[in-house]
């Protein structure tokens, strides 16, 4: 597997270092020292794990002559900078006095588009949208394209003359043009709590004039796909539980339906990418258990029989790397991220980069129509947060642009590996296991960290601040990809339908029991934890397996499935409540007895273990009523319950101060409950 071939040695042994951030006077971005550091006397601080990144994004211009990056001013807001890769003269071209630049994209070689936000303001205190802005790479021709003023809060449609309304967001660039595509989401959502799916309007917008035109759509459109010539060619619509995929024929300039299928049966396909030659690629099972990447024959309205990429134990998930002439390779994820290069020159380049950076996954990004020999490299691993480099394919030299988390020393982090264990009914469960560095391999305190979703793949062979923080405090961390998780085939996903609190819960418990049987976990020092669905699983774990788990901590957790149906201020759509939840989770009427039996709220009196609960007061995914109702119920019979509320937070912690506060409390809680042998 990819990550097992990496050498676990000190990173960056031979590198030419150039810190864009330091040159701009923005932030420090240092490479780790080449010599191994001695073991620290104490673990890294809580703050070091949850500091905001010093470099959040880097992108090459379409001609590979310039690189743009987002970097924060010291104790200030995030700014947008551009550097000529040849002259190496960096320049900050855009910033706000009262906001961060949140994300950006190259429109063409001379122009960029970006939006705004404030990472130091909680969800509940946000009063503005993201807006949309454009500027030339030399800092000229600035234009506001979309307003930040939220119309239903301000009582007006726009406060900026000529700008599109606040509900406008970037969608896609168009090669060799000043135009971009933007979409507009439902503006009435937050005002009237209308949870129905609304059409996604797609507009073509000129970034210099601000002129826009709306694109016609074939129905209630939920997604679009743009071809390499900048034309919207695919629109996916929804009608109840049925999805339809339409293709706009370039000759007839009319939409024709390619396919129609039920959203929940797994028999359809997902449009994915248009190649430079006009070929359409889709993700599909195509009669198999795993999702693969296929070419779709538009003339025959059918999927090719043989896939472009198929992975033995995993659904395909990744991206296609291309330039203006051809597809160069395909990125994908198995137990770790990897790339299959179809181009021999790119394969050779990958080897050169890997030889210089042997301890990391090194993802190479190429320009669309390069005029220089530079490519962008993102390097990361289980112990190393992302570091950005330029690689000169002519000289085979690396130039470091910046480290996203320079305060993190990989030598102090803990290795992560994928493991597999058998559930009690024989189903194989993948999981990531992180072993605390320097703590030995036996009889360790264990945190079983259950991911949210639940219908996602959450674990990855990347640096994870929460997992690494727990490991730094001496805890082994097991992250099960229980049945219902995606990414491991249809059988694995389908086995989780209507299994909340049942077989999905057993999979988590069986992971803890596996860790005990392997001698990894001390059976008396196991704590279960998680957020969202993971919070639900934490509470149901304490209900179902009281002798297995010594304690639990959860944040933003669901405490009752019926509340998911009934709370009117949740952001779940009516369509999902009507068509999705009855199939995936349980029907409120037909499965009433099961939903009651698998409700943490209904079973709160059975939980006697120490428990830490945390909720965001502005959460619209799992409204705080889930937490308050459960808190009151469990406290009636359990004196060991700690309650935390962050009024300004939503579904998870956005603010650094709240992350530091929460995880400091978690560390204290775990130290008291499982930190020392019983």
């Amino acid at each position: 597997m990819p990550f097992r071939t990496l050498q676990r040695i000190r990173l960056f042994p031979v590198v030419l270092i150039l810190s864009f951030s330091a040159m701009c006077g923005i932030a420090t971005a240092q490479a780790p020292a080449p010599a191994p550091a001695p073991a620290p006397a104490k673990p890294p601080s809580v703050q070091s794990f949850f500091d905001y990144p010093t470099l959040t994004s880097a992108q090459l211009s379409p001609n590979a002559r310039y690189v743009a990056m987002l970097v924060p001013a010291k104790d200030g807001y995030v700014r947008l900078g551009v550097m000529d890769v040849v002259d190496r003269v960096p320049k900050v071209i855009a910033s706000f006095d009262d906001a961060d630049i949140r994300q950006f994209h190259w429109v063409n070689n001379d122009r960029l588009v970006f939006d705004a936000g404030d990472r130091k303001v909680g969800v509940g205190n946000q009063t503005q949208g993201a807006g949309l802005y454009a500027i030339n790479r030399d800092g000229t021709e600035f234009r506001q394209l979309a307003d930040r003023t939220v119309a239903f809060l301000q009582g007006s449609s726009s406060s900026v003359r000529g700008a599109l309304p606040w509900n406008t967001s970037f969608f896609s660039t168009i090669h060799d043009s000043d135009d971009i595509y933007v979409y507009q989401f439902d503006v009435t959502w937050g005002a009237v709590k209308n949870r129905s799916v609304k059409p996604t309007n797609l507009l073509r917008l000129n970034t210099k004039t601000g002129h826009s035109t709306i694109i016609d759509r074939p129905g209630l459109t939920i997604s679009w796909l743009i071809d390499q010539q900048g034309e919207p060619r695919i629109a996916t619509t929804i009608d109840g539980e049925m999805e339809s995929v339409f293709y706009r024929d370039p000759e007839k300039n009319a939409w024709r339906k390619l396919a129609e299928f039920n959203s929940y049966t797994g028999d359809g396909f997902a449009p994915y990418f248009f190649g430079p030659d006009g070929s359409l690629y889709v993700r599909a099972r195509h009669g198999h258990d795993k999702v693969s990447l296929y070419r779709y024959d538009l003339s025959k309205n059918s999927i090719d029989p043989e896939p472009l990429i198929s992975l033995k134990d995993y659904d395909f998930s990744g991206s296609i790397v291309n330039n203006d002439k051809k597809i160069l390779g395909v990125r994908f994820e198995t137990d770790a991220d990897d790339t299959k290069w179809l181009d021999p020159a790119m394969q050779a380049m990958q080897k050169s980069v890997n030889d210089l950076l042997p301890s990391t996954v090194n993802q190479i990004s190429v320009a669309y129509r390069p005029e220089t020999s530079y490519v962008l490299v993102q390097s990361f691993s289980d112990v190393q947060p992302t570091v950005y480099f330029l690689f000169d394919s002519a000289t085979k030299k690396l130039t470091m642009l910046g480290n996203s988390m320079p305060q993190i020393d990989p030598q102090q982090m803990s290795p992560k590996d994928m493991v597999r264990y058998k559930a009690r009914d024989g189903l194989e469960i993948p999981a990531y296991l992180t072993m605390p560095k320097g703590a030995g391999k036996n009889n360790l305190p264990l945190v079983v960290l259950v991911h949210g979703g639940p219908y996602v793949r959450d674990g990855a062979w990347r640096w994870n601040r929460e997992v690494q923080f727990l490991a730094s405090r001496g805890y082994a961390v097991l992250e099960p990809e229980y049945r219902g998780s995606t990414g491991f085939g249809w059988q694995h996903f389908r086995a989780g339908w209507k299994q909340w609190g049942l077989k999905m819960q057993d999979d988590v418990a069986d992971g803890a029991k596996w860790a005990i049987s392997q001698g990894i976990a001390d059976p008396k020092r196991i704590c279960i934890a998680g957020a969202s669905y993971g919070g639900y699983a934490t509470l149901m774990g304490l209900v179902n397996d009281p002798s297995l788990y010594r304690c639990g901590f959860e944040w933003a957790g669901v405490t009752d499935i019926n509340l998911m149906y009934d709370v009117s201020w949740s952001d779940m759509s009516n369509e999902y409540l009507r068509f999705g939840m009855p199939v995936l989770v349980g029907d409120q009427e037909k499965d009433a007895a099961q939903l009651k039996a698998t409700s943490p709220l209904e079973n709160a009196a059975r939980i006697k273990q120490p428990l830490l609960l945390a909720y965001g007061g502005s959460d619209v995914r799992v409204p705080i009523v889930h937490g308050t109702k459960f808190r009151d119920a469990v406290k009636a019979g359990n004196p060991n319950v700690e309650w935390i509320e962050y009024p300004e937070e939503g579904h998870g912690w956005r603010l650094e101060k709240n992350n530091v506060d929460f995880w400091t409390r978690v560390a204290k809680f775990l130290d008291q409950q499982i930190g020392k042998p019983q």
Side-chain angles (χ1 to χ4, degrees), residues 2 293 306-311 316-322 327-334 336-348 350 354 361-364:
L293 182 66
E306 295 300 321
L308 178 65
I309 290 288
S310 182
L311 307 172
F316 168 76
S317 176
S319 60
I320 294 177
V321 184
N322 70 287
I327 293 175
L328 300 171
V330 183
R331 290 189 187 131
F332 56 89
E333 184 179 13
T334 55
D337 292 86
D338 204 350
T339 304
K340 177 181 179 180
W341 292 111
L342 307 177
D343 181 79
M346 290 302 304
Q347 180 63 42
Q350 182 76 64
N354 290 349
V361 170
N362 306 303
Q363 290 187 339
I364 298 174

Side-chain angles (χ1 to χ4, degrees), residues 89-123:
V89 179
K91 178 183 179 182
V92 173
I93 66 165
S95 63
F96 294 104
D97 293 333
D98 60 351
D100 299 305
I101 293 179
R102 194 181 60 150
Q103 59 181 355
F104 72 92
H105 305 272
W106 285 96
V107 177
N108 50 50
N109 293 321
D110 299 313
R111 196 155 177 80
L112 301 97
V113 64
F114 57 93
D115 63 14
D118 192 338
R119 58 184 180 176
K120 297 180 181 178
V121 174
V123 171

Side-chain angles (χ1 to χ4, degrees), residues 140-444:
T140 62
E141 293 195 65
F142 171 84
R143 185 180 184 92
Q144 183 165 356
L145 302 170
D147 199 0
R148 291 194 70 198
T149 303
V150 179
F152 63 79
L153 293 178
Q154 301 297 327
S156 62
S157 60
S158 178
S159 63
V160 180
R161 188 178 183 86
L164 292 169
W166 69 275
N167 60 317
T168 303
S169 297
F170 173 85
F171 181 71
S172 175
T173 56
I174 302 170
H175 298 303
D176 304 316
S177 173
D178 289 324
D179 291 1
I180 60 173
Y181 285 107
V182 296
Y183 67 89
Q184 293 178 332
F185 57 88
D186 175 24
V187 71
T188 65
W189 185 288
V192 298
K193 309 300 183 191
N194 186 338
R195 300 188 294 176
S196 295
V197 170
K198 295 296 182 182
T200 299
N201 291 327
L202 188 70
L203 294 84
R204 182 164 179 152
L205 171 65
N206 186 279
T207 62
K208 289 193 172 182
T209 67
H211 176 72
S212 64
T213 55
I214 193 167
I215 305 300
D216 71 291
R217 58 177 184 264
L220 197 65
T221 306
I222 56 173
S223 67
W224 299 84
L225 191 62
I226 312 296
D227 69 14
Q228 294 291 322
Q229 286 69 47
E231 294 297 328
R233 290 291 172 214
I234 297 288
T236 303
T237 66
I238 189 167
D239 183 8
E241 61 189 328
M242 301 302 294
E243 287 186 31
S244 297
V245 178
F246 289 86
Y247 171 70
R248 190 169 68 178
D249 193 303
E251 294 182 1
K252 299 180 180 179
N253 198 30
W255 294 103
R256 65 179 170 94
K257 186 184 292 187
L258 300 181
E260 183 179 37
F261 43 82
N262 189 296
S263 300
Y264 302 100
T265 60
D267 295 325
F269 62 87
Y272 202 67
F273 178 80
F274 272 105
D277 64 353
S279 296
L280 172 63
Y281 296 89
V282 301
R283 292 177 72 250
R285 288 199 302 120
H286 204 32
H288 301 282
D289 181 61
K290 305 295 189 296
V291 171
S292 298
L293 182 66
Y294 291 88
R295 178 185 172 273
Y296 188 95
D297 191 325
L298 289 165
S299 63
K300 297 179 181 179
N301 279 3
S302 64
I303 298 173
D304 285 354
E306 295 300 321
L308 178 65
I309 290 288
S310 182
L311 307 172
K312 180 178 181 294
D313 296 318
Y314 304 86
D315 293 322
F316 168 76
S317 176
S319 60
I320 294 177
V321 184
N322 70 287
N323 56 25
D324 62 333
K325 295 180 176 62
K326 62 180 180 179
I327 293 175
L328 300 171
V330 183
R331 290 189 187 131
F332 56 89
E333 184 179 13
T334 55
D335 54 348
D337 292 86
D338 204 350
T339 304
K340 177 181 179 180
W341 292 111
L342 307 177
D343 181 79
M346 290 302 304
Q347 180 63 42
M349 187 188 302
Q350 182 76 64
K351 182 180 184 305
S352 296
V353 171
N354 290 349
D355 287 344
L356 291 171
L357 302 170
S359 303
T360 49
V361 170
N362 306 303
Q363 290 187 339
I364 298 174
S365 298
V366 301
Y368 183 70
R369 190 177 293 125
E371 298 173 6
T372 75
S373 55
Y374 287 93
V375 296
L376 184 70
V377 179
Q378 295 183 57
S379 297
F380 56 86
S381 74
D382 53 343
V383 298
Q384 173 64 63
T386 301
V387 182
Y388 295 88
F389 296 90
L390 286 175
F391 178 71
D392 187 339
S393 59
T395 64
K396 293 184 171 50
K397 290 184 178 180
L398 279 169
T399 299
M400 182 179 177
L401 297 172
N403 186 336
S404 62
M405 302 287 285
Q407 74 278 17
I408 295 298
D409 180 358
Q411 289 294 308
Q412 294 181 289
M413 299 297 105
S414 301
K416 173 187 285 193
D417 289 297
M418 178 169 276
V419 298
R420 293 176 182 265
Y421 60 87
K422 293 285 187 178
R424 62 193 68 180
D425 65 356
L427 185 67
E428 187 175 71
I429 307 299
Y432 280 102
L433 176 65
T434 301
M435 299 290 284
K437 188 177 181 66
K441 297 182 179 180
N442 302 105
N443 212 38
L444 299 171

Side-chain angles (χ1 to χ4, degrees), residues 572-640:
M572 284 186 291
S573 70
N574 291 331
E575 283 77 9
Y576 179 67
L577 293 175
R578 181 180 176 186
F579 300 108
M581 276 192 60
V583 171
L584 300 176
V585 183
D587 187 282
Q588 201 170 18
E589 295 181 1
K590 296 178 182 178
D591 302 311
Q594 176 180 317
L595 299 192
K596 183 175 181 179
T598 57
S599 165
L601 182 60
E602 294 286 345
N603 291 277
R606 295 171 58 186
I607 297 178
K608 304 300 182 182
Q609 303 96 314
L611 181 61
L612 185 152
L613 308 168
Y615 285 81
S618 301
D619 191 347
V620 294
R621 177 58 51 85
V622 179
I624 195 171
V625 65
H626 280 263
T628 54
K629 280 180 173 289
F630 181 80
R631 174 200 63 194
D632 295 345
V634 74
K635 274 194 168 185
N638 186 342
N640 298 314

Side-chain angles (χ1 to χ4, degrees), residues 504-559:
M504 290 168 73
Q505 199 68 49
D506 292 343
D507 292 346
V508 176
D510 291 343
K513 293 174 182 178
W514 169 85
I516 294 171
S517 70
Q518 298 297 306
I520 296 167
D522 181 341
K524 296 181 180 180
R525 294 193 292 161
I526 300 177
C527 192
I528 186 170
S532 195
Y533 170 82
Y536 167 90
T538 295
L539 301 177
M540 283 306 301
L542 298 177
V543 171
N544 290 359
D545 298 285
S547 63
L548 181 62
Y549 302 116
R550 173 72 181 81
C551 60
F553 67 92
E554 64 97 348
W555 63 110
V558 172
T559 64

